[in-house]
């Protein structure tokens, strides 16, 4: 047997082994998605007032009945997305819960209809408690309404989504005064990645299978992508969380702040944009700067997992939880690396998906009560046992309201803390299950024997 044939046969064996690994991960991810959804369906539904309880202890017990508009919108979106895209979740219990959550938002989320500003926190029965001078409650309201329209066909939900989207774009690109945060003379004008990221996500959401809206938001999507790309600084060697409005590095701890998980999430948002645009050159740039770069700097070499915050000049980060391992950065990393591999075929990205996924499943999932823990110590021990909460930690979240970010004056530049609920984990699992299924559905290349060249002179 020739060396070429043996090599090709070995390659065929490797490909078959790889498919077996992909299949095993698809099954593992799918089973975990079932467990996570079951947790929220059992413990979070408010049968009396509609909407969802999201402050849940380890066993699922409600420890606070306040309702966070972010989390209400996210759970409506998640339920509708699962209902639409997975046959096993296409059942009335899930859709009815989503509709009850959507109706709760329609009745209570907006502070003073017909005005569009939404509350941040509501009482269980819908009375406003707090308001954020940001766009993020409104963004998740928009996502929820658009998905409800897709799941039910009721046009009134889509009308709400489009009208709110128009208001958000107005606040971001024309006049933010309606959000209510004053401009202070001594405060820097800065742009965190969260704002163009969220808008790019909404462009993708509203434009899905909708040529009219996709066309309407084409320029906006390009603008968002360009604003995100401005966060690649220092000759391409760092992704910074905050930059000036004209794309320059800011001074102080605010300017040096890095959040590896957020950069990875931005990476897969940008990858979807590249896919839609058909731009392989931009895709390669995104993989290099928003996937590989933040992972290499952000992965803990001693204990594994992604650091929550870093300082670009290696000062100690000011956030108390900077070295902790949080659930959502690892969820976003799994999506990013699997999406990168799906589009490029680069085996390095697949290996990184396996590395992150193994750590994540080993450290975050709760095999006893279901769902995932949110906060781990640097060493990987559970620091908070709650499964859902208002922030899973507010202090210094960088996307938070304290620490350096509190100096930012405009409403748009106050980055949000990440509330915890039925979103990051099931979104990750659902997207990964879909991508793994798509990879497995591709025909496996068949090794072809290479004939041994005939010796010169042989007949």
């Amino acid at each position: 047997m020739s060396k070429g044939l043996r090599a090709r046969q070995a390659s065929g064996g490797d490909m078959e082994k790889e498919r077996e690994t992909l299949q095993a991960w698809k099954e593992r991810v799918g089973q975990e998605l079932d467990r996570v959804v079951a947790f929220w369906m059992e413990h979070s539904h408010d049968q009396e007032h509609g909407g969802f309880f999201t402050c849940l202890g380890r066993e699922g017990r409600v420890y606070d009945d306040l309702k966070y508009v972010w989390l209400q919108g996210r759970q409506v979106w998640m339920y509708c997305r699962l209902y639409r895209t997975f046959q096993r979740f296409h059942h009335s219990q899930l859709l009815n819960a989503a509709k009850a959550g959507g109706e709760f938002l329609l009745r209570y989320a907006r502070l003073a209809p017909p005005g569009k500003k939404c509350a941040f926190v509501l009482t269980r029965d819908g009375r406003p408690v707090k308001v954020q001078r940001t766009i993020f409650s409104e963004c998740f309201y928009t996502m929820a309404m658009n998905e409800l329209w897709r799941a039910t066909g009721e046009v009134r939900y889509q009308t709400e989504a489009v009208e709110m989207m128009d208001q958000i774009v107005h606040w971001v690109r024309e006049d933010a005064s309606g959000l209510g945060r004053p401009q202070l003379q001594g405060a820097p004008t800065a742009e965190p990645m969260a704002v163009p990221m969220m808008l790019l996500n909404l462009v993708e959401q509203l434009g899905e299978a909708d040529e009219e809206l996709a066309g309407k938001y084409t320029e906006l999507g390009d603008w968002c992508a360009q604003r995100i790309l401005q966060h690649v600084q220092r000759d391409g060697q760092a992704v910074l969380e905050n930059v000036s409005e004209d794309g320059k590095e800011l001074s102080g701890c605010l300017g040096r702040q890095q959040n590896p998980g957020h950069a990875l999430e931005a990476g897969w948002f940008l990858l979807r944009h590249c896919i839609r645009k058909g731009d392989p050159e931009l895709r390669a740039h995104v993989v290099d700067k928003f996937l590989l770069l933040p992972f290499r700097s952000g992965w803990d070499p001693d204990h594994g997992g992604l650091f929550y915050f870093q300082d670009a000049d290696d000062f100690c980060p000011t956030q108390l939880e900077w070295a902790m391992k949080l659930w959502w950065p690892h969820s976003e990393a799994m999506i990013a690396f699997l999406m990168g591999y799906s589009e490029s075929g680069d085996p390095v990205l697949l290996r990184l998906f396996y590395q992150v996924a193994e750590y994540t499943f080993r450290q975050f999932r709760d095999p006893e009560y279901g769902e995932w823990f949110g906060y781990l110590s640097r060493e990987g021990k559970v620091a908070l046992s709650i499964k859902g909460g208002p922030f899973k930690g507010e202090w210094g979240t960088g996307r938070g309201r304290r620490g350096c970010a509190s100096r930012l004056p405009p409403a748009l530049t106050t980055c949000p803390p990440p509330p915890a609920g039925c979103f990051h984990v099931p979104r990750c699992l659902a997207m990964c299950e879909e991508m793994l299924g798509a990879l497995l559905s591709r025909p496996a290349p068949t090794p072809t024997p290479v004939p041994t060249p005939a010796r010169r002179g042989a007949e």
Side-chain angles (χ1 to χ4, degrees):
M1 181 184 296
S2 71
K3 291 182 179 179
L5 180 56
R6 284 196 298 271
R8 287 177 178 270
Q9 289 179 338
S11 176
D14 291 342
M15 287 187 289
E16 183 59 34
K17 184 178 180 180
E18 191 63 74
R19 289 181 67 83
E20 292 175 359
T21 304
L22 291 171
Q23 181 63 43
W25 267 108
K26 180 177 180 294
E27 294 172 3
R28 190 176 181 185
V29 164
Q31 291 167 3
E32 188 65 14
L33 177 60
D34 292 347
R35 295 178 72 249
V36 167
V37 173
F39 179 91
W40 291 100
M41 291 188 68
E42 179 179 355
H43 300 297
S44 71
H45 297 179
D46 184 347
Q47 304 294 347
E48 182 178 352
H49 295 283
F52 308 101
F53 299 116
T54 54
C55 293
L56 304 179
R58 182 184 180 189
E59 303 90 346
R61 289 187 297 170
V62 178
Y63 64 83
D64 196 324
D65 63 7
L66 289 175
K67 292 177 178 174
Y68 295 79
V69 171
W70 282 39
L71 305 185
Q72 303 299 308
R74 285 175 162 186
Q75 192 156 347
V76 170
W77 179 88
M78 193 72 249
Y79 276 13
C80 290
R81 178 68 70 155
L82 291 170
Y83 177 84
R84 285 201 305 119
T85 56
F86 288 83
Q87 186 60 42
R88 68 184 187 273
F89 293 121
H90 192 83
H91 54 76
S92 60
Q93 184 182 2
L94 199 67
L95 182 61
N96 289 339
K99 291 172 67 175
E103 292 300 322
F104 181 87
L105 287 171
L106 283 172
R107 286 195 303 272
Y108 302 120
R110 291 188 293 165
L111 291 167
K116 300 299 184 184
K117 192 72 192 84
C118 291
F120 176 56
V121 186
L122 302 168
T123 62
R124 180 183 177 186
D125 59 2
R127 290 168 290 139
V129 176
K130 294 181 182 179
V131 61
Q132 281 186 322
R133 293 170 289 189
T134 67
I135 62 170
F136 299 101
S137 290
E138 294 78 13
C139 289
F140 292 114
Y141 180 97
T142 303
M143 289 173 61
M145 293 300 143
N146 181 257
E147 272 296 327
L148 268 172
W149 166 66
R150 294 177 186 277
T152 66
E154 295 187 36
V155 176
R156 63 193 178 101
Y157 295 130
Q158 177 69 339
T159 300
E160 281 286 328
V162 174
E163 289 181 357
M164 186 64 83
M165 178 67 169
D166 290 343
Q167 178 64 77
I168 294 167
V169 173
H170 175 79
W171 283 330
V172 171
R173 300 190 69 178
E174 298 178 32
D175 182 8
S177 61
L179 294 171
R181 191 175 182 91
Q183 174 73 50
L184 303 178
Q185 289 183 344
T189 55
E191 181 175 274
M193 276 202 303
V195 172
M197 278 178 63
M198 195 69 235
L199 272 183
L200 186 59
N201 188 53
L202 289 179
V203 167
E204 181 73 23
Q205 173 70 39
L206 271 68
E208 180 188 341
D210 189 324
E211 292 185 8
E212 181 180 352
L213 284 183
K216 175 181 177 180
Y217 297 129
T218 295
E219 185 274 334
L220 176 62
D222 292 340
W223 179 85
C224 293
Q226 188 56 44
R227 303 296 284 194
I228 298 169
L229 291 167
Q230 287 185 156
H231 289 259
V232 180
Q233 296 286 323
R234 303 192 175 195
D235 296 322
Q237 296 308 302
V239 178
L240 301 180
E241 190 68 20
N242 304 286
V243 296
S244 68
E245 289 185 333
D246 59 352
K248 300 296 193 308
E249 183 173 340
L250 297 166
S251 62
C253 62
L254 178 67
R256 298 192 306 270
Q257 182 177 297
Q258 296 179 285
N259 184 321
H262 207 210
L264 285 156
E265 185 179 21
W268 73 258
F269 284 15
L270 287 169
L271 282 176
R272 290 195 306 183
H273 179 73
C274 297
I275 295 166
R276 186 171 64 250
K277 301 287 288 186
D279 190 338
E281 184 177 346
L282 178 58
R283 182 190 71 193
H285 177 75
V286 168
V287 167
D288 185 38
K289 302 305 181 186
F290 285 87
L291 272 63
L292 297 176
L293 180 63
F295 180 82
R296 287 167 180 159
S297 67
W299 188 260
D300 185 343
D302 297 320
H303 303 284
L306 291 164
F307 290 117
Y308 196 24
F309 288 104
Q310 293 181 293
D311 184 286
D313 286 338
D314 293 328
F315 288 102
C316 178
T318 58
Q319 295 82 6
L320 299 181
E321 75 277 29
W322 71 269
M324 296 180 76
K325 313 297 167 60
L326 273 69
W327 83 112
W328 70 263
H330 296 79
S331 300
E332 303 311 313
M334 286 175 60
I335 297 171
F337 287 125
L338 193 55
M339 187 180 295
Y341 173 72
S342 298
E343 293 303 315
S344 70
D346 185 345
V348 170
L349 299 176
L350 183 60
R351 289 197 296 272
L352 291 176
F353 165 76
Y354 291 148
Q355 180 178 339
V356 175
E358 287 287 1
Y359 175 89
T360 301
F361 271 64
R362 182 175 66 251
Q363 302 296 138
F364 286 99
R365 68 186 297 272
D366 182 351
E368 186 173 356
Y369 292 104
E371 243 285 346
W372 292 4
F373 298 111
Y375 264 133
L376 308 179
S377 68
R378 180 178 178 181
E379 295 76 20
K381 298 183 182 301
V382 175
L384 286 140
S385 64
I386 58 173
K387 298 296 176 53
F391 310 122
K392 274 188 181 168
E394 175 184 353
W395 170 266
T397 56
R399 304 183 348 158
R401 297 182 297 169
R402 301 188 180 184
C404 294
S406 66
R407 301 178 310 192
L408 295 175
L412 294 178
T413 57
T414 303
C415 302
C422 182
F423 185 63
H424 282 286
V425 175
R427 180 176 72 169
C428 163
L429 296 170
M431 291 183 68
C432 287
E433 183 179 346
E434 288 182 312
M435 287 188 284
L436 289 163
L439 286 168
L440 288 164
S441 69
R442 296 176 185 176
T446 303
T448 54
V450 178
T452 303
R455 292 190 301 275
R456 183 173 298 178
E459 297 293 334

